[in-house]
Amino acid sequence: MNRRDIRKAMDQIHISAEMQEEMIANIQEQMLHGKKRTWSRKKPWGLRPPLC
Amino acid sequence: MGIEQDIRDAVLKYSDMLYRICMVILCNEQDVQDAMQDTFCRYLEKKPDFCDREHEKAWLIRVATNICRDMVRLRIRHPKICIDELEDSLAAPEQKEILKELFELPVRQKTVIYLHYVEGYHIKEIADILGTTEGAVKMRLRRGRKQMQLSWKESCNG
């Protein structure tokens, strides 16, 4: 395995046209109307360390 | 109309590159989309002055990797994607194996490997983009490479 193999494998991965269009629509919504971002930095309860 | 065109231009120009690096780090399409959206919003809000296209690309990579790192650090919301589901059109089975090994590495190592081997950045440039030292980049590269070789040998023998 070498640089060319890794590059060749990664070159197979592309964003879909649907995802691009969805992203453009979401960014427009967010930029033009200041809609809240789709993910929050709040830590979910399940991942909190135990109290004791 | 202006901002809408700016958004479209930025997404069409950089989304493929950002999609790959975010996918390497997050291994989940939903999280990747969130991280990319955040990156593009920061890019469009700040509109930094760039010296050239390389500077602009490096800025986007730095912002995207920081956002991905925060997402990984703060929570693991979605399960990792299965390589088989990611891309059915991968030509050879060994390419799936390479991606699997790359995705399994720790975030720091796979980020450096991606930037060096896929984007073609030098050690110094990666250190600048990630805000770390050249020594740390070399170490991550060495460890990541070693781990991938080890997994590769195991899968070939097994």
Side-chain angles (χ1 to χ4, degrees):
Chain A
M1 183 185 0
N2 54 32
R3 171 191 293 247
R4 203 179 50 200
D5 293 330
I6 297 174
R7 191 168 190 158
K8 208 168 150 188
M10 283 305 298
D11 280 347
Q12 306 289 317
I13 299 177
H14 298 286
I15 188 169
S16 65
E18 296 82 34
M19 192 172 176
Q20 270 185 336
E21 287 305 321
E22 194 184 332
M23 197 176 303
I24 289 168
N26 286 344
I27 295 168
Q28 279 177 356
E29 181 78 14
Q30 190 168 320
M31 296 295 293
L32 298 174
H33 306 293
K35 198 182 166 194
K36 199 181 167 187
R37 290 191 173 131
T38 51
W39 67 283
S40 89
R41 289 172 170 79
K42 191 180 172 189
K43 208 171 187 177
W45 285 97
L47 293 179
R48 285 192 171 186
L51 292 173
C52 52
Chain B
M1 185 64 194
I3 183 79
E4 287 171 23
Q5 194 56 46
D6 286 350
I7 292 168
R8 183 166 286 277
D9 290 346
V11 171
L12 294 180
K13 196 167 160 190
Y14 290 111
S15 60
D16 222 29
M17 184 267 296
L18 288 178
Y19 179 77
R20 287 181 197 154
I21 190 161
C22 292
M23 186 57 89
V24 166
I25 299 173
L26 296 168
C27 309
N28 179 285
E29 204 158 56
Q30 185 59 56
D31 289 343
V32 166
Q33 192 171 353
D34 289 346
M36 286 175 69
Q37 263 173 235
D38 239 3
T39 305
F40 281 122
C41 284
R42 284 190 203 179
Y43 171 79
L44 293 159
E45 279 164 9
K46 290 188 186 290
K47 285 194 175 285
D49 290 326
F50 297 111
C51 309
D52 52 30
R53 190 164 173 196
E54 273 307 306
H55 184 206
E56 186 177 29
K57 187 179 162 190
W59 186 92
L60 282 164
I61 290 174
R62 182 170 189 157
V63 171
T65 51
N66 284 342
I67 290 170
C68 291
R69 206 181 47 200
D70 284 350
M71 289 174 83
V72 169
R73 194 184 293 155
L74 291 180
R75 64 176 178 179
I76 301 169
R77 191 175 61 175
H78 297 107
K80 283 184 178 180
I81 197 164
C82 173
I83 299 295
D84 293 331
E85 292 167 14
L86 176 71
E87 194 60 73
D88 290 332
S89 60
L90 286 176
E94 58 265 30
Q95 289 183 347
K96 280 186 184 175
E97 200 56 46
I98 289 170
L99 289 180
K100 193 178 158 204
E101 281 150 19
L102 178 63
F103 284 21
E104 290 294 326
L105 289 178
V107 171
R108 286 176 169 189
Q109 290 174 15
K110 60 187 176 183
T111 306
V112 166
I113 284 191
Y114 175 83
L115 292 176
H116 189 61
Y117 288 138
V118 182
E119 292 297 335
Y121 283 111
H122 297 294
I123 306 285
K124 169 90 174 66
E125 293 169 324
I126 298 172
D128 289 342
I129 288 172
L130 299 178
T132 186
T133 63
E134 289 182 49
V137 173
K138 281 182 193 167
M139 178 68 82
R140 291 173 197 175
L141 203 54
R142 196 160 51 233
R143 285 182 179 163
R145 209 161 34 201
K146 198 174 165 187
Q147 183 59 48
M148 283 185 80
Q149 294 287 5
L150 205 67
S151 312
W152 179 256
K153 277 180 192 164
E154 278 173 12
S155 68
C156 288
N157 293 334

